[in-house]
Amino acid sequence: MSEPNSDNIETALKAFMADHPGKLTREQAIAAILENWFTTHGYLPPQQEGRRPEDLDASNDD
């Protein structure tokens, strides 16, 4: 990167990767950051997590 803020971005990327040790390659970290940004800004639908309806029963109630 040769942009004026590239050092700050590189530092932030390294910090993000340090928070996820051994789990992300540089490309995976960038993809995760972009996916999060696109989702929070409405460009991607939020990914839903949870149990499938057929897996729900009274033991799942909180």
Side-chain angles (χ1 to χ4, degrees):
M1 299 179 96
S2 61
E3 303 290 325
N5 290 323
S6 64
D7 290 339
N8 291 338
I9 292 170
E10 188 64 31
T11 299
L13 180 59
K14 287 179 181 178
F16 180 87
M17 291 176 68
D19 285 346
H20 304 87
K23 296 182 182 177
L24 298 174
T25 65
R26 179 182 175 80
E27 291 77 19
Q28 289 170 326
I30 292 169
I33 292 165
L34 287 172
E35 182 177 356
N36 179 272
W37 190 91
F38 287 140
T39 301
T40 59
H41 287 82
Y43 295 100
L44 282 175
Q47 292 195 5
Q48 297 183 2
E49 295 181 17
R51 295 184 182 264
R52 299 178 63 97
E54 60 269 19
D55 295 333
L56 294 175
D57 59 32
S59 68
N60 306 124
D61 293 345
D62 290 333

